[in-house]
Every structure is written in C-alpha cells, then in structure tokens.
Amino acid sequence: MYFTKFPHRSNFSFVEQFDAASNRLKAGSREFDAVVSSYEGGITHIQVRHPKVWGDNRCLEALAVPSTASETSLEVGGEFELSVKGSKGQTLFTGRFGVSGEASMFCFAPAEEARYYGMGEKTFGKLELSGYRSKFWNTDVWGDFHFAQWGENPTDPPYFSLPYLIAEIEGEYVGFLLHNPYPTFMETPGTDEARVFVEWQRTAPDLILGSEGGEPNLWILTGPTLRELTQKLQKLVGVTPVPPAWALGYHQSRWGYGGHDDLLELDRQFTDHKIPCDSLWLDLDYMDGFRIFQTSEQMFPQGAAVTAAELAKTGRRIVPIIDPGVKFEPGYAVYDDGHKNQIFCLNAEGKEFVGMVWPGETVFPDFSEKKARTWWSGYVRKFAESGFGACWLDMNDPSTGPVDPQGMFFGGGKVPHSAYHNQYALGMQMATHDGFLKARPKERPFMLSRSGYIGSSKHAAIWTGDNLSNYFYLKISIPTSVNLSISGLPFNGPDIGGFGDSVTDDLMVDWVKANFLFPFFRNHCAKTGRNQEPFAFAVPVMTILRRYIRLRYKLMPYLYNLFIEQELSGDPILRPLIYEFEESGPRGQDDQFLVGPSILQAPFVEEKAKIRTVWLPGVEPWFDAESGDWEAAGELSVKNDRTGTPLYIRAGAMIPMQAGTPTDNTKNFSDVNIHVFVPTGWSGDSTLNYRADDGISFEYQQGARSAIDVELASVDGNLALNWKQTASGFGEIKPTFVIHGDPKSVRLNGGSVKLISGKVVLTGRTLKVSVVS
C-alpha cells in the first residue's frame, strides 16, 4: 500500500455513452449500471454497479437516508455529465466518472475558485485544504511511519478514515461523501507552494474523488450554509447519541497505572487537591500478560469490582484499554473459544492470520461477520459486569505490528483485506457497544476508539491518536478536531499534554487552556515521560491547570446541552468561525474556534509567544472572559497571560453554568445559573432552550427530560428576560440569572426585580456581576 501515490486520471476510461432509460453507461470496453437517486434536502446519491468488478457494497453501517424527492441538485447529461446546482440553479461543479480496473474516479471542475474543508481526521495543521492529495486508509501511525516524519510533521493517512469533503463555492456549500470502505483518495485544486518543489507535484485543476476498489458510491449534499450542510451530513451518517454526563468530564490516564493501589491513590489525590475528575484510565499494565479480558491478579488481587466500588464513593469510574488482538496461545480461554467457533480472520493458506503486537503472536476477530461481533460482545458483557465503567478501544486500525495486514482476509478467508480494513474499528465499536448495553441495559455506554469509519459517530468517541509533547501537536489539535467535527464525528479530542516525550510546564498549561472545552478531555501520557497529573506539577502550575478543569465543570450544563442539540439537530460542538459567521472576516483561522454558538477561543499555541492576533467575527462586541471588558468585532492584539487565555463570549449570549466553582465531579443540571452577557446600551434579542435530565439513563427518550425556554430582549440597555418551563419530565428547573454588563433596567417575566451584587471567576480576574433575585 503506497500512502503517498495516487491513481492518475489519464489512466482511466471515462464514460462515453449513457442511456438514461436503462441506466446503462459505457466506459472503455465495459458497461455498468448507474443509479442516481435524489432525496429531500438537496441530497443526491450516485451508485455505479458491476457485480463481477465490485460485488455488493460492503459497508457495515447503513446511512440514514431521507425520503426521496422529485427535485434534485444534480443534473445528469447524455454522456453521464454531472452538474451540481446551487440554490439559484447555477452550476457549481461539472463532473465525469471513469474507471481503471477496479479503481473508480469522479472528476469535478468547479465553476469558480472554491475553498475546501473537512476530510475527517487529517493532521495537516490547516482548516482550509486546497491543494492537497490525501488517501483514506486507517494506519497505526507510530508503527507505519518513521519517527522522523511523525515527530513534528503531518502524517497521512492517520488513524481514522472519514472520506468527506466540503467545498465552499459562490457563497454556497457542497459536501462529497465517498461511502466506500475500500481505500479512497481525494485531490483538491489549489497550490501550497511550501509543498511543491517540482511542477508535477501540483494537484489537478479538477476536484478528484476516487477509490482503489469497491463499488462507487458518492453522496453529494448541498446547502446555503455550512450549518445546514453539516446538519444534513450528520443525520445521514448518524448523530452522536447524548453520552453519559460523566463522559464529558475530565479523564486521567497514563501508560503505567497498574490496578487497585494506583487507582485509589489517584482518587485520593484528586479529592485532596479538590480537582474534579470523572474517570481513571488503565493502559496495558492491568492485563495478565497482555491477554485481553483477563486482569492481572497482582494488579487486582480482589478483582476489579472491589476497586470500582471504592471509586464509586467519589463518583469515578475505571476505563480500561482493550485491543482487538487475542494472544495466539492454546490454553488461553479466549483464544480457545474463538478458535473453536471460527471467529478469527484467516490468511491465504486458510489458517488463522497471525500478527505481532503486544501479546506477541496475535490473532484477530473477524468483525465483518455478525457471529464474531456477537462472540465479542459476550466477552465485553462479562468484562463490564466485573466492574469496569466504560471501554477504551486501541490498536483497532487494525495494528498488526511489522506484519503486513494485507494478508488478513475476512469472511472465512474469501474477502480481501481492503474491503474491511477501514471498517475494522467500526465493527469492534459496534460489538463493544452492544456488550455494554447487555451488561447495563438502562445506562448509556461510553466507548473511546482510536480508529473508525463512517458510522462510528453512533458508537464511540474518537481520540486523535498517539501524539507527542510538543507545540506542533498542540497547534494541529485545533484544525484536526474542528475538521473532524464538521465531517461527521463531533465527539473527539487529542491526548492533553501529549502521549510521548516529557511535557514542559509551559506546554502543559498552554495545552489545557487550549483544549479544556474540547468535546473529549483526557490527560494521557506514556510511562517513559514525566507524570502529567495536575498535582504532579509545582503548585503554581497545578493551580492554573485546576482552574481550567474546574471551569469545564462550571460550564458542564452548556457542554451537555450542546451534545443534546447534536443528537437533535446534528450541530457539532466545535465549530469553525464560518459556521456561525458566514459573511465576516478571513477564512481558515487555524488557531481559533467556537465552542457551540456562543464561546470563541483563540488560545496561544506557539511556543514562548508573547502576543497574538485574534479575529472577533460579526458586528457585535465580544465579552472578554479574562478582563470582563467588551471588545469590538474585528482584529485584536492580545498579550499572553500566564493564568488567562483569550476566550470571548458573544453579545446577547445566555450560557448555562453550574453555581460557584466546582471542586468535585458533581453535576447539577436542575439548579442552573444562566449567565447573560449584555454590553452597555445594547439593543438586541436572543433565545435559549435549556434541557436537563439524569445524565446517565435512556429515560429521556421516554420523556424524562425537563426544559425551559428563555427569551432575552434589550432596548438601549433596558433588559427584559422571560422564561417558562416547557417540559417537566425530570422535575422542576430552577434558573438563577447572572448578568454580565450594566443594564439600565431589568425585568423578569414582566415584573421588576432586585439585583444583588455578586462575583464570578472565569478565565482571569474576579468579575463583578448582578444576580437577579
């Protein structure tokens, strides 16, 4: 498998004849069936069939296809000429389709210059992706690339494949989704001179989307805004179900934690230092000789359930790692059972395929088959019942060590490796998710996975793989996670502080300040470097780290409601600025992002940077959470502050928060403080729909969720707040309104109110506020 070489369009035969009546097309000497289907919302599907060339589509997860529609955003001409239309009927792209053996290719010429985003989990360090060639093939980056490349440079392809591209063109948006699990590739028009040292390295003037095998399946989505496009995409591939609230908390992990003694000591330290933490994670050391589903008696002499019961007193859970590889060892019960039931992938000789990873010689369950997923889920169920609160799925790229994975066959040895390679992690996620549901049918499962594919959004969060403690990985964490968020996988985040090497004090502080509101927030490192727990640092550093962990818990009602909205509408948690502000400012801010609609972060991600430029979009002023001042929209120069971070809140925003400064992992969604941000003399209005439930069960799906609607209107600084409870399935919500600003008057539900002076700490100094009594 070449990671950096791509099929060239000159080696393809493009369609020369197309009969729309019979849906038959001819390319070169072969004929194919073509089906073009239109669906509501400007969604079109192009499927090209040839049973002898490609067989059936082998995707494990089906898409949530909307209802068919008579109107279409794609016109098909006499020679299978594809025209993607905009909202005014204008042509945005013209395309053609070609084949070369089992490979296929769509070439689209943009009507004018376009900008490109998305591509899932790419580590290019840029939000806008013009002028790139990229392949989609899940890799074990540290195993498949040399350190000289992944140390401080982008590696492509990374761990997770999500072949989705966004084009911004003529003020509208087009999304291209290749729903084909075989290795796929994309090439975007444009030039990045830093990557071109000979002329033939430039990308084509056309947008190229293709696959090296598998049935061609291209979905084209259109929308007037990035928001509408992303909502359509997310609903198509599957929204993320609302996770358990504890999964949104702070997670502590380290390769080196063993078992009972380590976990209880960590629990004590977090309690003594009053640092909120929801879970403690175990890497490989808890296992018996790297045998999955088998804990070491030395690490858990009384079993994991005893440890879990102790941690439950402080509301913390144990999250262990599980790899897919089963130690190739007759006499090991898991291997013997899998061997007996013919669960494992086979090699070309019809024997069990053997790789070389942590247990040594290792075999791999064939997750392409339902019987293997059912077998796996049975072991997961017992594992969960033994005391573990969730699961961390690693090495599921699948990593086979120095052994070429192409020798691993699926479907009883009849299906080539490339058909399921990118979906291997997805199959593992599906089976593990099912096992936890069987163990705890009334509790929302939580999985974290390294690799994945289209559909992973329904089963697992994704962390962006092994990284290093350096500013390169801190800096790329923003565009990587934001592009992944708008590509259909919103629940994601990097290892805070870096997994490899030793983090410096300054880097740890900068990393926590930059990522403390990311959807997934885990501090993880290798045992070869320094400890990264907050209390492992000197008190001045720990104090800063603790401040931002606590602030995350203060903002937990806001974060939790963003996940509720994700399930309902498909909006991501992390967003590029253009998601909310289409018409303002430059494109492609790689070091700024929005958390939901109301919070903007522009952290310092350059080593020893003393000053940075921040772009505040729109026309309204922004509230500086560090100083309490209001800043005008536009370009702003900000000095680096050791304890603060550039974080801004939108004028008119109403942000639900927990009261006070949380010092543990308690989450109270019913007694909520709603912080209202209004500039002096401001005129405007906004609304908030706030929801509360138990944060753990599925009962909200049967109505056990409460909600309030809040309306804010201000005229020249005269503020009117109106709220009402619209759902009571989880009981009464008791809002307290906290006002940031100096309104001339305040009325609540039509009546005058008394304002009480209060104080709040966000990212900087103590801020004066008015509390509505």
Side-chain angles (χ1 to χ4, degrees):
M1 166 66 69
Y2 283 106
F3 293 159
T4 57
K5 295 185 185 297
F6 302 84
H8 191 271
R9 56 194 180 280
S10 295
N11 296 315
F12 283 68
S13 295
F14 287 86
V15 175
E16 300 168 346
Q17 298 176 17
F18 175 59
D19 183 352
S22 63
N23 289 325
R24 297 283 290 177
L25 58 82
K26 184 177 181 181
S29 61
R30 295 179 293 177
E31 291 189 355
F32 303 83
D33 291 321
V35 179
V36 179
S37 305
S38 299
Y39 301 94
E40 291 181 348
I43 298 176
T44 307
H45 180 212
I46 304 171
Q47 183 180 27
V48 183
R49 299 170 176 170
H50 194 304
K52 293 184 179 180
V53 177
W54 298 304
D56 296 329
N57 186 289
R58 295 187 179 276
C59 289
L60 289 176
E61 278 282 22
L63 300 179
V65 180
S67 300
T68 57
S70 56
E71 295 185 358
T72 180
S73 57
L74 181 74
E75 292 183 359
V76 182
E79 295 183 0
F80 208 62
E81 299 160 337
L82 308 172
S83 297
V84 181
K85 300 294 184 179
S87 60
K88 300 176 183 178
Q90 77 276 30
T91 299
L92 301 178
F93 286 92
T94 56
R96 53 188 182 139
F97 173 76
V99 293
S100 178
E102 294 183 11
S104 59
M105 177 183 290
F106 293 89
C107 292
F108 287 96
E112 64 174 41
E113 186 177 355
R115 300 183 183 94
Y116 299 94
Y117 310 91
M119 286 197 194
E121 184 196 80
K122 297 298 181 181
T123 58
F124 299 138
K126 295 181 63 178
L127 186 64
E128 203 280 319
L129 300 174
S130 293
Y132 279 86
R133 293 185 182 96
S134 186
K135 190 166 290 189
F136 295 85
W137 177 262
N138 292 351
T139 64
D140 172 8
V141 171
W142 284 22
D144 295 342
F145 295 89
H146 189 276
F147 169 81
Q149 183 166 357
W150 53 255
E152 292 190 21
N153 292 283
T155 49
D156 186 45
Y159 300 93
F160 186 99
S161 290
L162 214 170
Y164 173 70
L165 182 71
I166 300 163
E168 180 188 11
I169 181 170
E170 294 190 19
E172 301 193 34
Y173 289 86
V174 181
F176 299 92
L177 178 70
L178 287 166
H179 197 220
N180 182 344
Y182 280 74
T184 50
F185 55 91
M186 294 182 178
E187 184 171 332
T188 56
T191 299
D192 180 350
E193 294 295 341
R195 300 194 317 279
V196 176
F197 66 92
V198 289
E199 190 64 26
W200 44 261
Q201 284 190 321
R202 298 185 189 279
T203 56
D206 291 348
L207 168 64
I208 296 175
L209 312 164
S211 174
E212 295 179 9
E215 183 182 79
N217 275 273
L218 177 64
W219 291 81
I220 302 175
L221 298 76
T222 58
T225 65
L226 180 57
R227 175 191 297 278
E228 290 189 34
L229 188 81
T230 304
Q231 290 175 344
K232 292 175 186 179
L233 179 275
Q234 194 66 66
K235 292 179 179 180
L236 184 66
V237 301
V239 296
T240 294
V242 181
W246 70 265
L248 305 186
Y250 173 78
H251 307 280
Q252 184 62 55
S253 181
R254 177 178 172 83
W255 176 24
Y257 297 157
H260 180 83
D261 293 343
D262 287 347
L263 295 177
L264 292 192
E265 176 60 17
L266 287 166
D267 180 63
R268 183 189 68 79
Q269 292 268 34
F270 277 104
T271 300
D272 289 350
H273 289 94
K274 297 183 179 180
I275 301 173
C277 176
D278 268 284
S279 64
L280 305 174
W281 294 54
L282 293 174
D283 212 312
L284 300 160
D285 300 273
Y286 82 94
M287 297 183 194
D288 176 18
F290 305 114
R291 297 173 182 87
I292 60 171
F293 302 124
Q294 194 163 307
T295 57
S296 165
E297 291 184 5
Q298 179 182 358
M299 298 298 181
F300 289 102
Q302 297 177 289
V306 172
T307 312
E310 284 295 314
L311 295 179
K313 297 175 183 178
T314 52
R316 289 190 249 280
R317 295 180 177 236
I318 311 171
V319 184
I321 198 169
I322 295 183
D323 295 349
V326 176
K327 186 175 179 64
F328 183 37
E329 181 184 60
Y332 166 38
V334 177
Y335 169 76
D336 288 345
D337 188 37
H339 175 76
K340 176 184 176 181
N341 288 283
Q342 299 182 328
I343 294 300
F344 303 119
C345 294
L346 301 181
N347 59 29
E349 296 299 311
K351 301 177 182 179
E352 290 166 346
F353 172 84
V354 178
M356 286 289 293
V357 282
W358 290 108
E361 291 191 337
T362 307
V363 294
F364 299 83
D366 182 355
F367 290 120
S368 73
E369 302 226 306
K370 186 177 181 179
K371 74 170 185 177
R373 297 196 297 271
T374 301
W375 174 86
W376 180 269
S377 71
Y379 279 95
V380 170
R381 176 178 183 172
K382 295 176 184 178
F383 195 63
E385 291 171 344
S386 72
F388 295 115
C391 207
W392 168 19
L393 309 179
D394 195 13
M395 305 289 282
N396 52 5
D397 322 292
S399 176
T400 54
V403 181
D404 188 345
Q406 297 279 13
M408 176 196 296
F409 292 88
F410 297 95
K414 299 176 182 178
V415 181
H417 182 76
S418 55
Y420 288 105
H421 175 92
N422 283 343
Q423 298 185 100
Y424 192 81
L426 173 61
M428 185 185 185
Q429 294 160 13
M430 294 165 66
T432 308
H433 191 273
D434 183 61
F436 268 87
L437 274 178
K438 289 176 179 176
R440 303 186 186 108
K442 296 183 179 181
E443 185 176 308
R444 304 173 213 169
F446 173 59
M447 313 288 122
L448 179 75
S449 180
R450 185 165 84 176
S451 291
Y453 184 66
I454 298 167
S456 288
S457 52
K458 296 185 284 188
H459 305 288
I462 298 294
W463 99 98
T464 51
D466 294 336
N467 58 5
L468 289 174
S469 297
N470 61 37
Y471 277 86
F472 166 75
Y473 276 101
L474 166 58
K475 188 174 181 179
I476 69 168
S477 70
I478 295 172
T480 298
S481 286
V482 170
N483 265 329
L484 188 53
S485 295
I486 59 175
S487 297
L489 206 295
F491 198 177
N492 74 81
D495 281 338
I496 304 297
F499 172 67
D501 288 345
S502 286
V503 72
T504 64
D505 289 3
D506 288 344
L507 176 58
M508 192 68 194
V509 168
D510 286 343
W511 210 315
V512 167
K513 289 194 292 187
N515 290 178
F516 82 98
L517 290 179
F518 271 38
F520 179 65
F521 187 47
R522 180 181 72 162
N523 177 342
H524 178 52
C525 64
K527 57 184 172 184
T528 52
R530 74 183 285 191
N531 282 51
Q532 290 184 183
E533 303 86 5
F535 40 78
F537 296 85
V539 171
V541 175
M542 183 201 70
T543 302
I544 299 171
L545 303 180
R546 179 171 60 189
R547 166 185 283 192
Y548 288 95
I549 294 171
R550 287 175 171 179
L551 184 54
R552 180 182 181 89
Y553 280 82
K554 184 173 183 64
L555 286 162
M556 189 63 69
Y558 180 70
L559 289 173
Y560 188 68
N561 269 261
L562 291 179
F563 273 91
I564 291 175
E565 193 59 37
Q566 149 63 209
E567 184 180 56
L568 294 173
S569 70
D571 282 319
I573 289 77
L574 297 187
R575 306 170 187 182
L577 272 57
I578 57 174
Y579 201 89
E580 299 288 337
F581 300 92
E582 285 286 338
E583 299 302 326
S584 63
R587 292 301 200 238
Q589 296 93 345
D590 300 323
D591 58 359
Q592 293 187 217
F593 59 97
L594 293 165
V595 183
S598 300
I599 296 177
L600 184 151
Q601 283 196 256
F604 282 84
V605 293
E606 298 282 358
E607 188 171 11
K608 298 181 180 178
K610 296 181 180 180
I611 195 167
R612 67 153 295 163
T613 299
V614 175
W615 179 262
L616 298 178
V619 295
E620 301 276 18
W622 289 78
F623 181 84
D624 185 334
E626 183 176 352
S627 66
D629 298 330
W630 288 91
E631 301 288 352
E635 194 170 279
L636 179 69
S637 182
V638 180
K639 292 182 180 180
N640 198 350
D641 179 84
R642 175 68 169 171
T643 59
T645 187
L647 186 148
Y648 304 90
I649 299 171
R650 198 171 181 172
M654 292 185 282
I655 299 189
M657 303 187 196
Q658 294 201 90
T661 299
T663 58
D664 59 27
N665 55 23
T666 302
K667 303 168 191 67
N668 188 338
F669 294 137
S670 294
D671 292 329
V672 64
N673 286 0
I674 297 178
H675 288 243
V676 182
F677 295 85
V678 286
T680 300
W682 182 70
S683 294
D685 56 73
S686 62
T687 60
L688 170 69
N689 179 239
Y690 175 75
R691 309 169 184 90
D693 55 45
D694 63 17
I696 190 68
S697 77
F698 293 101
E699 292 183 8
Y700 74 92
Q701 297 175 346
Q702 283 74 49
R705 175 179 281 167
S706 296
I708 60 171
D709 283 344
V710 185
E711 295 180 349
L712 163 66
S714 180
V715 179
D716 297 327
N718 295 290
L719 186 65
L721 287 164
N722 291 280
W723 75 276
K724 61 181 178 180
Q725 184 137 355
T726 56
S728 302
F730 188 61
E732 184 182 2
I733 294 177
K734 302 174 182 178
T736 297
F737 293 92
V738 179
I739 299 174
H740 296 257
D742 187 22
K744 296 176 182 178
S745 65
V746 179
R747 297 181 69 80
L748 180 65
N749 284 346
S752 60
V753 295
K754 181 180 179 181
L755 298 181
I756 301 173
S757 296
K759 296 180 179 180
V760 171
V761 176
L762 296 176
T763 65
R765 71 190 187 196
T766 300
L767 307 175
K768 294 181 180 180
V769 295
S770 298
V771 181
V772 178
S773 65

